[in-house]
Amino acid sequence: MCHVTLDASCDTNLSTLSRDRTPRFGLQLQRQRRRSGDASKPNVLFIVADDLRASLNCYGGPIISPNLDQLASQSAVFNNAFVQQAVCGPSRISFLTGRRPDTTKLYDFGFYWRTFAGNYTTLPQHFKENGYFTASVGKVFHPGVASNETDDYPYSWSIPPYHASTEKYIYAKVCPSEDGKLHNNVVCPVNVSKMPEHSLPDLQTTERALEILANLSAARKDSSPESPTWDSPFFLAVGFRKPHLNWKYPEEFRDLYPLESVEIAPNRQIPAKLPSVAWADFFTTRLRDDIKAMNLSFPYGLIPDDYHALMRQSYYSASTFVDYELGRVLQGLEEAGFANNTIISFIGDHGYQLGEHGEWSKCSNFEVATRVPLIVHVPGMTDTKFPQLKAKFPLRDPFQQASKNIKEKSKPTSKLPVGAKRRLKGDIGVAVEELVELVDLFPSLSELAGLKVPPVCPPQPFKVDFCAEGNSFAPLVKAHSRQEIKQEFSRWKNATFSQYPRPGTTPSVYTDLPNLEIITVMGYSMLTEDYHYTEWVGFNGTTIKADWSDVKARELYIRGVDPLEDNNVADESEYKDLVLKLSQELQNGWRYSQPVMAN
């Protein structure tokens, strides 16, 4: 068998694919050279994976992720990080502007926030305006109208954003099938050498990121105190497209997950008391050729168990593929000489339901859709457990990790026992259990880099360009113990908030991804240490206003006894007073749940 990192003669050896790193950004970097930078500022490497849920090995598994595990051992790892809306475009605009969806006014993919909501400063724009060279590689902003068809260039980026030439084939019929034909399938392991241009978007994204790092390194080596040519720190954003549908990935990665080892979701049936408005019918998934051929009844037809396992296998395989490509980028960062002066932030843009509650999508307020991995590396702060490392980020082989798992006979389970809390796994630099949200990224990275921290936005912030609707979690990264946090804060953030729109209260082909003009219901959701509470209320897409008196449905999950959120108790009489209390807190919103400083 030809394995990814072991056989240099293999056509699909990922370590040598597209290794031509002839500098193509040389001229543009020359044009960007400046003498106004501050070489003492840390660089920032900002990495986003698409549709990646918090199931990495360092989060308890079952995804094999040796390179992210290695990063986690030298980083702050957030065990309770949540997005503001579980779908790509709105989530990315939210965390890149530090604003919540009701402020960006983006719940779909149809508007550019600068012209529709307000001229909000973005995270990379803030760094650019403070002397950073900023570059975007891959899917960072959601491409298209939501980012003005330019990925917000030139506001956010110093040079035009890069997108892989193979992106135009992401839904092409290239997936081998049992009928001998090529299809547009959900399950799509491929021989990379047979793909268009003999590559995949994430392979090309990695190569361009390595190219930029090499060029930046060369430019700085050419500098001297007498004749400085490059003294600006950089903010490099890298966006991987996997494990987003389709799950197209180099076929070698499938060998990491023997089908008999793949667990089916323990709660794969639709919960009995799930309101119809909360159901995500995964319509876009049903459009793929392999799922369409099943002739599932719409909207409640479920994936058969045998294909359920195949789909999970492919999601895990695509995720480990991303881990490997991320490992290549981190190794390149070190080879370029930047590892000791670069803050690294890694996130998923939202989670994903792999058959839990019968669903195969994001597009909901369930915890598995809104919870994400968040890993932040700050040199000299989060990596003090391993001071003698000769190399911080050597590339790790996922096949060696898989062999270790087999020897240890370990088989992670997705079933949490009653009362159990999710636990981080393995070596962790700084384990952070406090609640955080991705709108916290903008102020947090600003503080960690020593830049001005955007203030908390006032009510009606549409004409305020520079502010954020989150809080800096830098104190959580810097703290050596939870006791230190308690000394600084009498209370940390005590809730996270997400939301999801619907075109109506019953499922339709527009349920998962409704355009603004047809949104009539908004599901506002609040998660605390003990409860997850949601109200689905009437919503006016023209005025962008919720009608809290028009409650369509409620959900309440008691996290301690129902960690998988299978039993909605919102309508049970014994919880009537609790529902009233949580409803008021939800309507009060995020401003009433911010951290409170100690006296």
Side-chain angles (χ1 to χ4, degrees):
M1 177 62 192
C2 167
H3 278 176
V4 174
T5 59
L6 306 182
D7 185 351
S9 65
C10 177
D11 288 339
T12 55
N13 179 9
L14 300 188
S15 63
T16 56
L17 264 172
S18 306
R19 288 301 294 269
D20 177 14
R21 296 189 195 167
T22 305
R24 286 170 280 179
F25 270 147
L27 178 60
Q28 289 150 310
L29 286 176
Q30 291 283 350
R31 290 172 178 167
Q32 289 294 326
R33 288 177 178 176
R34 62 183 72 184
R35 294 183 174 87
S36 60
D38 182 353
S40 67
K41 295 289 187 185
N43 306 306
V44 177
L45 177 59
F46 184 84
I47 307 174
V48 186
D50 206 345
D51 287 18
L52 182 65
R53 60 193 251 163
S55 294
L56 303 169
N57 183 64
C58 55
Y59 280 91
I63 294 169
I64 297 168
S65 52
N67 292 288
L68 280 162
D69 295 347
Q70 179 173 246
L71 178 64
S73 72
Q74 304 171 63
S75 302
V77 181
F78 293 79
N79 199 22
N80 290 290
F82 294 87
V83 301
Q84 277 45 74
Q85 187 178 328
V87 71
C88 302
S91 179
R92 289 165 186 261
I93 298 304
S94 176
F95 64 68
L96 287 166
T97 62
R99 316 274 181 130
R100 297 170 190 268
D102 281 349
T103 301
T104 65
K105 300 183 181 180
L106 185 78
Y107 313 102
D108 55 6
F109 306 92
F111 300 96
Y112 181 40
W113 81 91
R114 291 191 189 273
T115 57
F116 189 62
N119 190 33
Y120 309 146
T121 301
T122 69
L123 171 61
Q125 179 185 355
H126 183 43
F127 278 79
K128 181 184 175 188
E129 291 175 350
N130 280 274
Y132 276 68
F133 168 77
T134 60
S136 172
V137 179
K139 185 178 177 182
V140 180
F141 279 99
H142 196 282
V145 175
S147 56
N148 202 35
E149 305 287 354
T150 65
D151 289 23
D152 200 45
Y153 175 77
Y155 292 99
S156 291
W157 310 111
S158 302
I159 57 177
Y162 168 81
H163 287 281
S165 60
T166 54
E167 283 189 4
K168 58 181 172 287
Y169 306 114
I170 56 177
Y171 299 126
K173 292 181 179 292
V174 297
C175 311
S177 301
E178 292 182 357
D179 62 5
K181 299 178 181 179
L182 297 177
H183 291 276
N184 172 21
N185 289 343
V186 165
V187 174
C188 190
V190 298
N191 182 331
V192 176
S193 66
K194 296 181 180 180
M195 291 298 97
E197 301 182 35
H198 312 295
S199 192
L200 296 172
D202 285 344
L203 294 174
Q204 293 183 303
T205 290
T206 296
E207 289 301 321
R208 184 53 59 96
L210 294 174
E211 202 172 88
I212 291 176
L213 290 169
N215 286 344
L216 287 168
S217 180
R220 292 187 180 180
K221 288 177 181 177
D222 290 343
S223 298
S224 68
E226 297 76 21
S227 179
T229 56
W230 188 271
D231 58 3
S232 295
F234 65 78
F235 182 106
L236 175 59
V238 180
F240 293 110
R241 280 193 167 268
K242 294 300 130 191
H244 192 287
L245 290 177
N246 296 348
W247 295 324
K248 179 168 56 179
Y249 58 90
E251 58 191 357
E252 287 79 12
F253 287 93
R254 180 176 52 184
D255 296 338
L256 294 167
Y257 300 96
L259 198 56
E260 63 273 15
S261 73
V262 177
E263 285 193 338
I264 290 174
N267 55 341
R268 60 188 179 275
Q269 300 300 320
I270 302 172
K273 291 181 282 188
L274 182 71
S276 60
V277 69
W279 171 247
D281 55 44
F282 57 97
F283 180 73
T284 57
T285 304
R286 296 171 189 265
L287 294 176
R288 274 44 175 196
D289 291 349
D290 49 349
I291 309 303
K292 187 187 298 184
M294 297 177 186
N295 293 316
L296 303 176
S297 60
F298 183 82
Y300 295 114
L302 302 182
I303 301 292
D305 284 357
D306 57 347
Y307 215 75
H308 179 128
L310 278 170
M311 290 171 72
R312 283 194 155 212
Q313 178 193 50
S314 279
Y315 179 91
Y316 298 158
S317 301
S319 299
T320 301
F321 168 46
V322 168
D323 176 83
Y324 186 82
E325 292 307 299
L326 173 137
R328 293 178 62 201
V329 172
L330 294 183
Q331 180 176 260
L333 180 81
E334 186 154 32
E335 290 175 349
F338 297 126
N340 291 323
N341 190 35
T342 300
I343 295 170
I344 302 168
S345 170
F346 174 82
I347 58 172
D349 64 345
H350 47 70
Y352 201 88
Q353 296 176 95
L354 294 173
E356 290 90 358
H357 312 109
E359 300 181 344
W360 294 87
S361 71
K362 45 265 190 174
C363 303
S364 80
N365 286 314
F366 277 121
E367 180 176 336
V368 72
T370 57
R371 179 173 176 253
V372 293
L374 169 59
I375 301 173
V376 178
H377 172 80
V378 185
M381 187 180 297
T382 63
D383 53 1
T384 56
K385 286 186 178 180
F386 303 97
Q388 305 301 322
L389 286 176
K390 293 182 179 179
K392 297 180 77 169
F393 304 122
L395 183 61
R396 294 290 182 90
D397 181 356
F399 291 93
Q400 291 183 359
Q401 180 63 50
S403 298
K404 181 181 178 182
N405 289 351
I406 292 172
K407 289 178 182 178
E408 295 174 351
K409 297 182 180 179
S410 61
K411 184 179 180 183
T413 177
S414 54
K415 179 66 174 177
L416 285 174
V418 171
K421 291 187 176 181
R422 303 182 189 279
R423 300 292 184 187
L424 297 174
K425 177 183 175 184
D427 290 324
I428 301 295
V430 179
V432 181
E433 296 293 338
E434 284 75 16
L435 295 169
V436 298
E437 302 170 278
L438 290 199
V439 283
D440 299 333
L441 276 170
F442 191 162
S444 303
L445 293 180
S446 298
E447 181 174 349
L448 291 170
L451 303 187
K452 181 180 179 180
V453 178
V456 175
C457 292
Q460 300 300 313
F462 302 106
K463 294 184 180 180
V464 181
D465 294 349
F466 184 66
C467 68
E469 295 179 325
N471 308 97
S472 173
F473 54 63
L476 305 181
V477 177
K478 297 175 182 177
H480 294 289
S481 67
R482 301 198 77 176
Q483 185 60 37
E484 284 190 18
I485 298 170
K486 291 179 180 179
Q487 290 173 357
E488 186 171 353
F489 299 93
S490 61
R491 185 199 75 193
W492 183 251
K493 181 182 297 193
N494 64 357
T496 67
F497 295 82
S498 64
Q499 60 190 99
Y500 209 88
R502 293 284 191 241
T505 58
T506 56
S508 73
V509 297
Y510 304 108
T511 290
D512 289 356
L513 299 172
N515 294 327
L516 178 61
E517 59 268 20
I518 65 170
I519 295 173
T520 64
V521 180
M522 186 68 70
Y524 288 98
S525 193
M526 178 181 70
L527 185 143
T528 72
E529 183 177 357
D530 298 317
Y531 309 111
H532 191 180
Y533 178 71
T534 302
E535 281 188 12
W536 297 90
V537 301
F539 187 82
N540 188 316
T542 301
T543 61
I544 317 295
K545 295 288 186 182
D547 182 356
W548 290 98
S549 66
D550 182 19
V551 179
K552 311 291 186 182
R554 293 184 172 91
E555 294 174 81
L556 173 60
Y557 303 102
I558 312 300
R559 299 184 71 205
V561 297
D562 184 21
L564 298 182
E565 301 186 333
D566 294 330
N567 184 29
N568 174 21
V569 298
D571 293 330
E572 295 184 12
S573 59
E574 65 182 288
Y575 295 104
K576 180 180 178 180
D577 291 342
L578 176 61
V579 166
L580 289 175
K581 175 179 178 290
L582 294 174
S583 177
Q584 187 58 59
E585 292 176 0
L586 177 64
Q587 292 180 51
N588 288 341
W590 63 271
R591 293 183 186 278
Y592 290 83
S593 297
Q594 295 180 82
V596 178
M597 301 296 295
N599 294 328

